[in-house]
Amino acid sequence: MPPMILDIARFVGFGVVILALAYPLGLYMAKVYSGEKTWLTPVLVPVERVVYRVAGIDPNEDMPWTAYAISLLIFNLVCFTILYLMLRFQGVLPLNPQHAVGMKPDLAFNTAVSFVGNTDWQAYAGETQVSQLTQMAGLTWQMFVSTAVGATVLIALIRAFGRKGAHAIGNFWVDLTRSWLYILLPICVVLGLVMVSQGTVQTLAARVSVRTVEGATQTLSVGPVAATEAIKTLGVDGGGVFNANSAHPFENPTPLTNWIEMLAVLVIPAGLVFTFGKMAGNMKQGIAVFAAMAILFAISVGVMYGFEQAGNPNLTRSGVDQVASATQSGGNTEGKEVRFGVAESILFASLNTASAGGNANASMSSMTPISGGMALWNLMTAEVVFGGVGCGLYTMLTFALLAVFIAGLMVGRTPEYLGKKIGSREIKLAMLAVLAMNIGILVFTAIAVLAPAGLAGRLSLGPHGLSEILYAFTSAVGNNGTAFAGLNAASLFYTTMIGINILIGRYLLIVPVLAVAGSVAAKTTLAPSVGTFPTDTPLFTGLLIGVVVVVGALTFFPVAALGPILEHVLMTAGRLF
Amino acid sequence: VGRCEVGDIIFLGIAFVFIGLCLLYVRAVDKL
């Protein structure tokens, strides 16, 4: 069978498996967030009650959006402070077999903000700069918590659409607790054990000495990898124990773990779309959004695969055979693990940039310019293609509000979404969220390319150097965490700027989204009429895709033209960077 | 190792000021 057919079958197979896993998980999550009984309820309800009692939480309290947002912000500030102090003082804290010293203040700030903000951008090397205590009780714990925080915002928004004339949108502490206790923790226990069974290391030791096949002795870094790996992928986080992330064989030892990691990254964000459909009382609404995400994802995979498989034209001109055949996978293999090849590297990269995954098993910088540019495009379209846990869908629903507003303007209908009349207040709030991200990317990139300290961080010159800088800020503001590679992000300039950018991308989106939730909860629900633009049809799916693409294209096309697009043109003319 | 520096005040300050501004942003957005 031709290699390309096999690769396409692999992509389709992945889609089928993710759909088969995401749908039942989505229905389960809908039950969890609605407070209905699940098969885990008898076991976990006593634990949940203990958590509320110890933390002094009244689970029956219904919060207005302002109280919900304030609880979230204060909770995140407390989490940041604890993690920051842990990173700074890990040298004098226990469980430090690698004798890691405290991080410098700017790096501790960058790392703490990154993990509390669900970005997991890593300007440090985990195997040498983080103690086991910090890894487990600091970073891995934050992966659970920050993922749960993203889910709370989405659930509050979905719940608000189902309420009529209400002043409250739910209880932040209850949503938070249910997210990690009923969803993340049980799946992570199973996932962690599966990873261990495949050879992912899990130990409190820092290093192990082994004898190589040549007879020499080699010291290898190890650690609590399997436990981290489980939530790193399931929580769409991305902060690995090792600097090489999922390209490291101790994090991702087999082709099966590569698939498991990819499935784990997408299963909750995809499942939440069905949770949305279920909780909205119309599964077609969820399917319409799911279809928009799936089409955008298929385009991303198709473009990246096509350009990577075509390879570098300069090598072809030099007589290098890059065509896939029975004896070679072909294509551009620079920066890729031979274990995974082009197809699985592309699928991994695509789904981890389309979602807020932040995991990597290949070097983005080594991809052909358009493939790297497609990964960048995925980040620029606000990672709404399934996205992170919660944040992907709540950003997509923000785009949905813009879509119904634009449709209303075009055909003269009153904008409505899920039975709620969408007014100027909701559109203003949606635009505040969209603009925060755009400012975070464009303004910060502009500062970096003007400042000597920003330019000093580049590894490459020309358009590729711009892509390195642009990618870093796009990844940070999108709370993604993948790196393009090449950029020295550990300098004072970048640790500070990227840290602030993560804060902007996280909280300046969450506040307006929660305000939208408060606004729509207070409205009455209208019955569909002849003037209602249906939002559960293929037409709406197309409109939604159009809004996502146009907002991304109009905003970022100029800078993309100076980065990956220019690099592609120069590559075809024989100039490489 | 284990000592506070001026940088700690600066970077903790950035986070506290940012979240403080976000709390004000909540109030401002509520009045929008």
Side-chain angles (χ1 to χ4, degrees):
Chain A
M1 190 180 287
M4 188 179 284
I5 301 296
L6 274 176
D7 288 341
I8 292 170
R10 197 185 315 216
F11 298 148
V12 173
F14 179 82
V16 171
V17 175
I18 202 74
L19 195 60
L21 293 173
Y23 187 76
L25 181 63
L27 298 183
Y28 168 78
M29 290 191 287
K31 282 187 176 179
V32 168
Y33 290 119
S34 303
E36 293 174 32
K37 193 174 178 185
T38 68
W39 61 280
L40 280 173
T41 302
V43 184
L44 295 180
V45 156
V47 183
E48 190 182 354
R49 285 193 190 125
V50 169
V51 171
Y52 295 151
R53 199 169 301 139
V54 170
I57 296 164
D58 174 10
N60 298 316
E61 184 191 356
D62 214 3
M63 295 176 167
W65 86 264
T66 47
Y68 202 101
I70 290 167
S71 302
L72 184 153
L73 290 168
I74 300 290
F75 175 69
N76 276 247
L77 186 60
V78 171
C79 289
F80 163 81
T81 307
I82 293 169
L83 183 55
Y84 179 89
L85 294 175
M86 198 176 266
L87 291 164
R88 286 284 292 130
F89 298 106
Q90 62 181 351
V92 293
L93 293 172
L95 267 178
N96 186 11
Q98 53 270 80
H99 307 296
V101 297
M103 283 185 183
K104 290 187 301 172
D106 63 303
L107 186 58
F109 164 75
N110 180 280
T111 307
V113 160
S114 173
F115 279 76
V116 172
N118 198 233
T119 307
D120 301 4
W121 170 272
Q122 295 175 284
Y124 64 92
E127 53 266 63
T128 54
Q129 288 180 276
V130 170
S131 74
Q132 309 301 49
L133 180 74
T134 307
Q135 181 61 51
M136 293 187 296
L139 303 180
T140 305
W141 167 247
Q142 269 314 312
M143 288 192 210
F144 275 95
V145 172
S146 63
T147 301
V149 166
T152 63
V153 178
L154 172 67
I155 293 307
L157 181 61
I158 296 173
R159 188 183 291 126
F161 273 105
R163 294 190 168 183
K164 299 173 198 169
H167 76 288
I169 59 171
N171 187 311
F172 169 72
W173 306 108
V174 171
D175 290 340
L176 181 76
T177 307
R178 287 188 180 156
S179 296
W180 67 259
L181 183 62
Y182 285 83
I183 299 164
L184 298 176
L185 199 58
I187 304 176
C188 277
V189 169
V190 176
L191 200 54
L193 291 172
V194 172
M195 297 299 285
V196 168
S197 76
Q198 289 295 302
T200 305
V201 297
Q202 176 68 23
T203 172
L204 290 176
R207 291 178 187 88
V208 61
S209 290
V210 296
R211 189 165 286 268
T212 65
V213 287
E214 291 93 354
T217 302
Q218 190 175 7
T219 302
L220 301 172
S221 291
V222 290
V225 183
T228 305
E229 208 62 15
I231 185 63
K232 178 194 117 179
T233 50
L234 188 75
V236 201
D237 291 291
V241 172
F242 300 107
N243 203 28
N245 211 280
S246 287
H248 196 296
F250 285 174
E251 284 201 16
N252 191 6
T254 67
L256 180 61
T257 58
N258 198 53
W259 259 66
I260 290 170
E261 290 196 5
M262 290 193 291
L263 291 169
V265 165
L266 231 51
V267 70
I268 292 184
L272 280 169
V273 187
F274 297 116
T275 305
F276 160 67
K278 178 74 178 169
M279 290 179 75
N282 179 1
M283 189 53 84
K284 280 185 177 176
Q285 297 283 355
I287 292 170
V289 175
F290 188 93
M293 292 175 165
I295 291 168
L296 286 166
F297 182 57
I299 293 170
S300 163
V301 173
V303 169
M304 290 177 83
Y305 178 71
F307 278 92
E308 285 305 285
Q309 200 61 58
N312 185 334
N314 294 292
L315 291 175
T316 306
R317 280 197 286 269
S318 304
V320 177
D321 179 12
Q322 295 181 87
V323 179
S325 66
T327 54
Q328 66 167 21
S329 62
N332 171 32
T333 51
E334 182 196 313
K336 294 180 182 62
E337 272 270 359
V338 289
R339 296 182 295 148
F340 307 131
V342 170
E344 296 224 354
S345 299
I346 285 307
L347 188 57
F348 204 99
S350 189
L351 69 90
N352 274 293
T353 49
S355 74
N359 307 283
N361 73 356
S363 167
M364 305 278 184
S365 183
S366 292
M367 289 178 186
T368 54
I370 297 297
S371 295
M374 193 69 223
L376 190 57
W377 167 266
N378 285 336
L379 304 180
M380 286 171 168
T381 49
E383 297 164 19
V384 292
V385 182
F386 302 108
V389 173
C391 55
L393 186 52
Y394 69 62
T395 311
M396 190 57 139
L397 294 179
T398 306
F399 279 113
L401 296 183
L402 295 178
V404 292
F405 178 69
I406 291 167
L409 287 179
M410 287 194 294
V411 297
R413 290 180 177 181
T414 305
E416 287 173 29
Y417 193 59
L418 302 177
K420 301 286 185 175
K421 196 174 277 187
I422 304 302
S424 64
R425 177 175 159 77
E426 289 76 34
I427 297 303
K428 283 178 194 165
L429 293 169
M431 285 314 299
L432 280 175
V434 171
L435 286 174
M437 208 193 83
N438 296 348
I439 289 167
I441 295 171
L442 296 176
V443 173
F444 278 63
T445 301
I447 293 171
V449 297
L450 289 172
L455 291 172
R458 292 172 304 166
L459 182 68
S460 308
L461 299 176
H464 198 80
L466 175 63
S467 294
E468 288 176 11
I469 295 171
L470 178 63
Y471 194 100
F473 287 115
T474 312
S475 176
V477 83
N479 296 151
N480 180 275
T482 52
F484 199 62
L487 188 76
N488 174 19
S491 66
L492 177 64
F493 177 84
Y494 279 110
T495 51
T496 308
M497 292 287 279
I498 287 174
I500 294 170
N501 213 18
I502 290 169
L503 288 170
I504 289 172
R506 182 70 165 173
Y507 302 106
L508 295 193
L509 253 74
I510 282 178
V511 170
V513 167
L514 285 175
V516 169
S519 186
V520 296
K523 292 174 184 258
T524 54
T525 304
L526 306 168
S529 66
V530 287
T532 303
F533 179 73
T535 55
D536 55 358
T537 60
L539 179 63
F540 178 72
T541 298
L543 185 66
L544 188 54
I545 291 171
V547 168
V548 170
V549 170
V550 167
V551 168
L554 289 181
T555 312
F556 300 112
F557 183 76
V559 72
L562 293 172
I565 296 173
L566 176 60
E567 191 185 350
H568 174 75
V569 173
L570 291 173
M571 181 185 77
T572 55
R575 190 161 173 205
L576 299 173
F577 294 92
Chain B
V1 177
R3 273 188 13 205
C4 286
E5 296 176 17
V6 177
D8 290 317
I9 296 165
I10 294 170
F11 287 104
L12 279 169
I14 290 173
F16 274 75
V17 168
F18 187 90
I19 296 296
L21 290 172
C22 282
L23 293 171
L24 293 175
Y25 188 46
V26 169
R27 273 187 66 179
V29 165
D30 194 37
K31 289 177 181 170
L32 193 70

